Amino acid sequence: LSVTDTDRPVSGIVTFPSEDYVVKTGDTGNLIYAIQLMLNSVHDVFNNVPDVDITGVYDTRTSQSIKTIQQASRLPETGDVDKRTWDMLLGIYQTHRNFN
């Protein structure tokens, strides 16, 4: 399994680092891959959520896609991923991943 294997669901082993952690533009790593994979899965169900390139880099397009999730969820529209945004994205992803 590769982190770019979009046919496989993101497993429950990816956890958010802490309550105080915030993912911001320019951040990189496995957590960003997970965010991008979930966003693209959510995009497959909700066309208003922009798809993103799966690069492992938290770029402007990823931030814009997160803002769409935040707006729909009535969270502050920062474009950053805090614990509340992560929980919302993960919940949407887990609920709708079987509809692809």
Side-chain angles (χ1 to χ4, degrees):
L1 173 66
S2 146
V3 292
T4 59
D5 185 355
T6 58
D7 294 331
R8 302 267 184 135
V10 175
S11 71
I13 61 170
V14 178
T15 59
F16 202 71
S18 74
E19 290 286 329
D20 299 324
Y21 192 82
V22 178
V23 176
K24 297 179 182 263
T25 303
D27 288 352
T28 61
N30 290 336
L31 185 63
I32 310 310
Y33 280 112
I35 290 167
Q36 291 170 333
L37 287 167
M38 287 190 289
L39 285 170
N40 279 351
S41 181
V42 170
H43 163 78
D44 290 343
V45 178
F46 300 105
N47 294 355
N48 62 323
V49 176
D51 64 334
V52 298
D53 294 326
I54 300 172
T55 61
V57 176
Y58 198 88
D59 57 12
T60 301
R61 186 154 178 92
T62 303
S63 178
Q64 290 171 341
S65 190
I66 286 295
K67 281 183 183 179
T68 302
I69 295 285
Q70 289 169 330
Q71 179 183 37
S73 303
R74 296 188 175 129
L75 295 172
E77 295 175 45
T78 63
D80 299 337
V81 178
D82 58 5
K83 179 74 165 92
R84 288 179 60 203
T85 299
W86 169 266
D87 289 345
M88 185 60 66
L89 175 60
L90 185 59
I92 295 167
Y93 166 78
Q94 289 176 328
T95 301
H96 298 288
R97 72 177 175 197
N98 294 325
F99 294 112
N100 294 341

